Amino acid sequence: MSDTIVPIRRALLSVSDKGGLVDLARALADRGVSLLASGGTRSALLDAGLPAEEVSDYTGSPEILGGRVKTLHPRVHAGILARRDVPEDLEVLEAQGITPIDLVVVNLYPFEQTVARPGVTPAEAIEKIDVGGPTLIRAAAKNHAHLTVLTDPGQYPEFLRHLDRHDGGTSLEFRRGKALEAFRKTGDYDRAIASYLLGPGLDPESAGQASEFPAELTLGFELRTTLRYGENPHQRAAFYDEPGSVGPDLGTATIRHGKELSYNNILDLDSALRLIRNFGGPAACVLKHNNPCGAAIGATLAEAFERAYDGDPVSAFGGIVGLNRPVDLATAERMTTPGRFIECVIAPGFEADAFEALTTRPTWKNSVRLIDLGTPIGPETSRASGLDLRRVEGGLLVQDWDAMQADPLVEGRVVTTRPPNEREAADLAFSWKVCQSVKSNAIVLAAEGQLVGVGAGQMSRLDSVELATRKAGPRAAGAVLASDAFFPFRDGPDAAAAAGITAIIQPGGSRRDEEVIAACDAHGIAMIFTGRRHFRH
């Protein structure tokens, strides 16, 4: 390969995303570059007053099959694949009247965005599988010794600056870099299609059923940023985005204020998001060391935050706050109360006066990070795509994401003589949604839509009950209890009853369920079995 500058004289443009197209094409035309474009792309250029030759006119073959076949032609691909330093290749081009193509600008049909839409049909998904685009990209990337390939509008400004520095041409280093990005792009695209075909998307009757896992799992995540360090200062760390994720999630969120996030911040923010998106009304949570120490609902977001913070104000200091509504001034005022310190706030937006308050208050402005999800969140918003992955030494564990039941009270069943009353039922539903985000063995105590005690990560479920009731103190009297897994013995409910717990929600499924039910009946405790466990190791 030669390291000489390759001048750009002829460009092929065929893009699905028209962002930045006109500015790029105008800059090329101003440099005397001739433009060759396919149907919709050429129309956009003509509308902007830019001359461009139609691909079908150049090849002598009209677009056919509703546009499925347009750039798949020897005159196009010979112009891309010809090696400029091989005389025989140039002789073929001259004999066939083919002009070499020096720049290929292509982006692909939005397959991932299409299949992420609720209710998308198999026919709609299949129609968004690009064929000509990947073919052009791979051909241009293969021959990057002699031409440049661009696959994303975000590359256009850098490319034009490079042209200015190199007298209208590109260096081998630049071309190789863009070829690498191109192959990654087509690889990610193919993985997305394979994942869709593997899942239930093509067979509506199989929706919700477990599909087979791939025989070989290839990951295609994109580096977003390197982090200061990992869980500990001696560990290196980075954050990678999942291509095609539609969010709202940490991959699509924006850091509106504050210094860069740490590895542990990101873990806590993810847990906060998973928790608060379970609630439809105003809700808030406070996370510490990947466990909620506070969570609450309220008539307003400010009330929800205040109640969440007051759940355990000692533990909440320096915690991560999650909110499921845009932050308003009233909530910002509560958060910036003297004596409170919060590391990060994640929410679906920040009102202007709230943002100003959070970023200008002394002791706050230099420490708090504000993460904007950009879109509303709630039980109906999209959830994590793909699979839940976890590394172990020598391998990778893969599972489905842990989905919360739509309504555990409806899908569950009362197993005690006494059913929960209306207040208890509401608190049981609340506590069950919080319990999903607590490390197992997980015990959650709640009263009036407020988390009042947590027992997390204990080796014994009884220990978790005792820890939660000790945290709650007198607030345990009249509260309800959620357990992420069944009680293997009656000692847990006995300890809960001694603290004043009046209702329990748990999966059930123990060999001693009858013993546990009898204990609750003896104490006058109402109990619901959900039939679903929420371990979080």
Side-chain angles (χ1 to χ4, degrees), residues 219-240:
L219 304 180
F221 290 74
E222 298 175 355
L223 178 65
R224 179 170 183 171
T225 183
T226 54
L227 304 173
R228 287 177 293 161
Y229 52 82
E231 284 185 283
N232 301 290
H234 65 275
Q235 294 173 269
R236 296 184 305 152
F239 179 48
Y240 284 77

Side-chain angles (χ1 to χ4, degrees), residues 84-393:
R84 283 33 164 200
D85 55 356
V86 175
E88 292 81 2
D89 285 6
L90 298 180
E91 290 171 4
V92 170
L93 295 187
E94 184 176 1
Q96 298 292 327
I98 298 173
T99 304
I101 294 172
D102 309 305
L103 172 67
V104 172
V105 182
V106 176
N107 52 60
L108 305 175
Y109 292 165
F111 177 82
E112 292 161 302
Q113 292 85 346
T114 298
V115 298
R117 291 201 322 260
V120 65
T121 66
E124 290 171 328
I126 294 299
E127 203 57 35
K128 289 301 181 182
I129 297 178
D130 204 327
V131 176
T135 305
L136 289 172
I137 290 172
R138 290 179 62 84
K142 174 180 180 177
N143 204 26
H144 68 269
H146 306 290
L147 72 155
T148 306
V149 58
L150 302 179
T151 54
D152 190 283
Q155 298 171 333
Y156 302 168
E158 177 195 8
F159 167 71
L160 294 175
R161 290 192 298 270
H162 188 84
L163 287 190
D164 288 339
R165 291 195 302 269
H166 295 84
D167 297 323
T170 58
S171 67
L172 176 59
E173 180 182 11
F174 182 86
R175 298 192 300 274
R176 182 186 292 125
K178 292 298 168 280
L180 175 60
E181 293 179 42
F183 282 122
R184 284 175 174 162
K185 181 79 69 175
T186 57
D188 292 340
Y189 196 72
D190 287 342
R191 277 188 288 271
I193 296 168
S195 295
Y196 176 76
L197 296 177
L198 177 67
L202 287 180
D203 181 7
E205 293 184 0
S206 68
Q209 299 177 10
S211 58
E212 294 183 3
F213 290 102
E216 179 178 320
L217 184 63
T218 303
L219 304 180
F221 290 74
E222 298 175 355
L223 178 65
R224 179 170 183 171
T225 183
T226 54
L227 304 173
R228 287 177 293 161
Y229 52 82
E231 284 185 283
N232 301 290
H234 65 275
Q235 294 173 269
R236 296 184 305 152
F239 179 48
Y240 284 77
D241 282 336
E242 180 180 10
S245 174
V246 297
D249 54 38
L250 289 174
T252 60
T254 302
I255 301 176
R256 293 278 303 280
H257 176 79
K259 60 185 178 182
E260 65 180 293
L261 298 174
S262 72
Y263 183 97
N264 294 330
N265 288 156
I266 293 172
L267 288 176
D268 285 339
L269 287 165
D270 181 60
S271 294
L273 172 59
R274 293 195 206 185
L275 195 162
I276 57 169
R277 77 194 319 171
N278 284 330
F279 298 95
C285 66
V286 184
L287 267 287
K288 199 71 174 290
H289 301 299
N290 217 226
N291 276 302
C293 58
I297 55 177
T300 66
L301 190 67
E303 180 187 3
F305 165 76
E306 189 71 33
R307 301 182 76 228
Y309 198 94
D310 286 345
D312 186 353
V314 173
S315 298
F317 187 87
I320 305 293
V321 169
L323 304 164
N324 71 345
R325 294 285 192 279
V327 181
D328 55 17
L329 181 58
T331 306
E333 295 282 359
R334 301 283 185 101
M335 286 193 283
T336 55
T337 297
R340 290 178 174 173
F341 170 60
I342 295 170
E343 281 265 359
C344 308
V345 180
I346 185 168
F350 296 82
E351 295 182 4
D353 50 1
F355 184 81
E356 181 179 3
L358 293 171
T359 56
T360 59
R361 299 286 169 87
T363 74
W364 266 79
K365 60 183 180 181
N366 295 326
S367 56
V368 70
R369 289 94 146 186
L370 305 181
I371 295 85
D372 190 345
L373 291 165
T375 59
I377 57 172
E380 304 306 318
T381 54
S382 61
R383 299 304 172 109
S385 60
L387 298 167
D388 185 6
L389 313 174
R390 184 178 295 187
R391 280 286 275 133
V392 296
E393 290 192 37

Side-chain angles (χ1 to χ4, degrees), residues 419-462:
N421 60 37
E422 185 176 350
R423 178 194 61 80
E424 290 169 335
D427 282 336
L428 288 172
F430 170 84
S431 63
W432 188 244
K433 292 174 182 178
V434 175
C435 190
Q436 182 192 30
S437 296
V438 178
K439 294 284 189 177
S440 59
N441 287 313
I443 296 293
V444 163
L445 306 187
E448 302 292 344
Q450 180 187 34
L451 179 63
V452 297
V454 178
Q458 301 303 303
M459 283 63 74
S460 159
R461 192 157 297 276
L462 176 61

